[in-house]
Amino acid sequence: SGDLCLRVWDLESGENTWDLSGHEKQINAICFSPDGKRCYSAGKEAEVFIWDATNWDPIGTFASAAGETSALVAGPGENRLLQAGDFVMDWDLAARKSKEFLTLENVTALALAHNQRWLAAGLADGTIHLWDVSQGKWKTEQERKFGSRRAFSESTLFEVQPLQVFNKHNGAVRALAFSPDDGQVLSGGE
């Protein structure tokens, strides 16, 4: 929000029950862990905030190697988070380490299927890229070629080609969600 605050709303009463502060720049992405115990938020600053969703206490922050965050999606439990920014990062939150997952730029939305097999990314150009992430492999630093882009010393790249590229939106894809059976992906955009 413009006031740099996350707001928690009670759906029964319609009341704003919590105001969470700490961000110093615009917030672009919010997601819950699948178990509902944690919430993650990020935006224009190079940090991801972690919140305890049971009492809304801040748990901490970690530096974002992906720069400004445009989208977040959490994996199972509290240990996996995918973050889109300058590229897509795959975070192991327990170890506080990340891998550069995909070198895809201008990502505006992310969705991870419930079975964790499919990853969908919506782009500013209106396309949606779909990967079967169970089919890829991790490349080491020595196998990577990025031209002028400086690589991070501990990062690795997940090598997999998109299974599908959908192109029906006239502008940026702003929202993505998988159906409960993971047989469809729903997209919304400009």
Side-chain angles (χ1 to χ4, degrees):
S1 68
D3 56 9
L4 310 178
C5 183
L6 291 173
R7 300 201 187 281
V8 181
W9 299 90
D10 182 282
L11 297 182
E12 293 291 323
S13 69
E15 297 292 320
N16 175 199
T17 55
W18 295 93
D19 291 335
L20 311 177
S21 60
H23 284 276
E24 295 180 3
K25 295 183 179 177
Q26 178 179 308
I27 302 162
N28 295 336
I30 305 167
C31 72
F32 279 93
S33 61
D35 61 12
K37 294 180 181 177
R38 293 190 178 192
C39 178
Y40 308 97
S41 61
K44 288 190 177 271
E45 58 205 326
E47 283 187 299
V48 176
F49 288 69
I50 307 170
W51 307 91
D52 183 330
T54 62
N55 59 17
W56 296 109
D57 285 340
I59 293 173
T61 62
F62 59 90
S64 164
E68 178 180 337
T69 300
S70 57
L72 293 171
V73 65
E78 57 188 53
N79 293 325
R80 186 172 186 198
L81 183 70
L82 296 176
Q83 173 197 18
D86 295 337
F87 36 84
V88 179
M89 299 297 293
D90 184 358
W91 286 93
D92 176 343
L93 298 175
R96 297 280 178 144
K97 289 188 177 181
S98 65
K99 298 176 189 174
E100 185 175 336
F101 192 58
L102 297 166
T103 56
L104 189 63
E105 296 182 5
N106 299 314
V107 175
T108 53
L110 282 178
L112 183 64
H114 304 90
N115 65 12
Q116 295 201 9
R117 180 177 176 187
W118 311 107
L119 175 67
L123 276 62
D125 67 3
T127 61
I128 301 163
H129 294 238
L130 178 71
W131 291 272
D132 180 346
V133 293
S134 68
Q135 299 301 310
K137 68 174 189 167
W138 292 102
K139 292 178 76 175
T140 65
E141 179 92 23
Q142 291 75 30
E143 295 174 305
R144 298 170 53 190
K145 292 184 170 60
F146 279 104
S148 62
R149 180 179 289 179
R150 183 179 169 274
F152 296 95
S153 60
E154 290 190 39
S155 67
T156 55
L157 180 67
F158 195 73
E159 180 184 66
V160 63
Q161 294 300 314
L163 183 66
Q164 296 275 353
V165 177
F166 307 109
N167 188 8
K168 285 287 186 181
H169 289 281
N170 293 329
V173 176
R174 297 293 179 191
L176 291 168
F178 279 93
S179 62
D181 69 355
D182 292 327
Q184 297 175 319
V185 65
L186 181 66
S187 65
E190 298 174 5

